[in-house]
Amino acid sequence: MYETIVVPTDGSEYAERAAEHAAAVAVAFDATVHVVSVVDEDAASSVFERGEVDDETRERLREEGERAIRTTRSALDGVERVESALVEGHATESIVGYADEVDADLLVMGTHGRTGVDRYVAGSVTERVLRRTHVPVLTVRDLEAARSLEEYENVLVPTDGSEDADVAVEHALALAAVGGATVHAVNVVDVSSLAASAGEAPATELLERFEEAGEEATNDVAKRARDAGLAAETAVLKGSPGHALLEYVEDEAIDLVAMGTTGRTGLDRYLLGSTAERVVRHADAPVLAVNARNGDD
């Protein structure tokens, strides 16, 4: 499943935590980890509110990048193969380009980073990478130390039954299988969207139809999990998708969320960029976001 993992770094604690999660995956799948730091002169120029970056600042940026790489490499305990690179260019484009260049199977990023001239692994960059790359992105928000995948007990897979949502299932099953975690297949019926479309409170018949579709979608994922020898649970929830998923993560002590970042359009859509980004921003559990459509862009 994972042979090549890329960890962008700015030397922040969030990048270090991301590296620990990358190490957990790399150890489980015997993968190579690439640590990459970006010298983004345009970002530095913006911080200093002046045009071209001078030689002294450019050298400082390179030193910061090299220091970040050393710090992040030190967090990769147990990883046998580690490579590193210092690249120059726009942060988002450089990260996406490097992942493509090394044929990465996974990107692992923190959702926050440093501020000031050496900042680039911030929420905005992570979210732009999520939108741009076809490579799955594991995001880390919590600053607690990463655990071995063998310690994971619960993996959440939101689904609406679409092919775009389905792309995350294989990843969820592979990661859950390492420690025999229970797979939670969850569908959210967005009641407010139904009400707005109907022009009034959701009609019972309409609501039942979408609940039935949700049950079918979650049962399909659960069957795949059980066929793979894993325990599975299903749930069809009603409410705001982002809020409902975040509540489920907390209530069920979810260790990992694996979700597609796009989904169906129309009344039953919920695996949208905005919902995925809300989960990425606020879930304490790491989130594996898989964008099925970017590979065709």
Side-chain angles (χ1 to χ4, degrees):
M1 176 61 74
Y2 307 109
E3 296 181 356
T4 304
I5 301 171
V6 173
V7 182
T9 181
D10 59 359
S12 67
E13 191 173 1
Y14 282 95
E16 188 175 346
R17 295 291 84 76
E20 291 175 353
H21 284 273
V25 178
V27 169
F29 291 89
D30 191 28
T32 299
V33 176
H34 292 248
V35 179
V36 58
S37 182
V38 180
V39 178
D40 189 339
E41 293 189 10
D42 289 340
S45 177
S46 175
V47 169
F48 286 119
E49 297 183 348
R50 65 189 184 208
E52 191 173 326
V53 171
D54 58 30
D55 290 340
E56 181 180 352
T57 302
R58 184 176 295 108
E59 183 59 27
R60 177 188 167 189
L61 290 171
R62 293 187 64 84
E63 289 175 356
E64 289 285 352
E66 291 168 353
R67 187 178 301 113
I69 288 173
R70 290 194 298 271
T71 299
T72 301
R73 286 180 68 109
S74 68
L76 295 170
D77 290 339
V79 180
E80 293 186 4
R81 297 180 301 279
V82 180
E83 300 185 18
S84 59
L86 185 67
V87 299
E88 298 182 2
H90 183 273
T92 303
E93 294 174 356
S94 296
I95 293 168
V96 173
Y98 187 87
D100 288 342
E101 180 182 335
V102 300
D103 196 21
D105 304 296
L106 182 68
L107 273 158
V108 186
M109 301 181 68
T111 59
H112 297 74
R114 292 183 173 183
T115 57
V117 66
D118 53 351
R119 158 183 165 259
Y120 87 89
V121 182
S124 59
V125 172
T126 301
E127 288 170 7
R128 285 198 295 270
V129 169
L130 281 170
R131 298 187 190 108
R132 290 279 305 279
T133 186
H134 67 278
V135 179
V137 182
L138 179 63
T139 60
V140 179
R141 174 180 176 270
D142 192 39
L143 283 177
E144 289 188 11
R147 294 174 294 140
S148 163
L149 294 188
E150 294 180 352
E151 298 180 57
Y152 282 16
E153 297 180 356
N154 298 288
V155 173
L156 168 61
V157 186
T159 181
D160 60 6
S162 67
E163 291 183 4
D164 287 337
D166 193 56
V167 297
V169 177
E170 183 179 358
H171 292 273
L173 299 186
L175 293 167
V178 175
T182 297
V183 175
H184 296 248
V186 175
N187 176 273
V188 181
V189 178
D190 190 343
V191 178
S192 62
S193 177
L194 292 176
S197 300
E200 55 186 28
T204 302
E205 182 179 347
L206 186 62
L207 182 58
E208 288 179 351
R209 176 152 53 93
F210 286 112
E211 287 178 331
E212 288 174 2
E215 290 173 359
E216 182 178 352
T218 55
N219 286 335
D220 285 346
V221 173
K223 183 179 183 305
R224 289 178 62 179
R226 291 169 183 141
D227 287 346
L230 298 169
E233 297 184 8
T234 64
V236 177
L237 311 176
K238 295 188 288 290
S240 169
H243 182 73
L245 291 173
L246 289 170
E247 272 197 348
Y248 193 93
V249 168
E250 183 176 357
D251 292 345
E252 300 298 326
I254 296 299
D255 298 297
L256 173 75
V257 181
M259 64 188 301
T261 59
T262 53
R264 290 179 174 175
T265 57
L267 296 179
D268 56 345
R269 72 179 185 178
Y270 83 91
L271 295 182
L272 299 171
S274 59
T275 298
E277 287 168 11
R278 179 176 175 80
V279 175
V280 165
R281 289 172 184 169
H282 299 290
D284 288 334
V287 180
L288 177 62
V290 186
N291 192 328
R293 298 182 181 179
N294 277 350
D296 299 326
D297 288 349

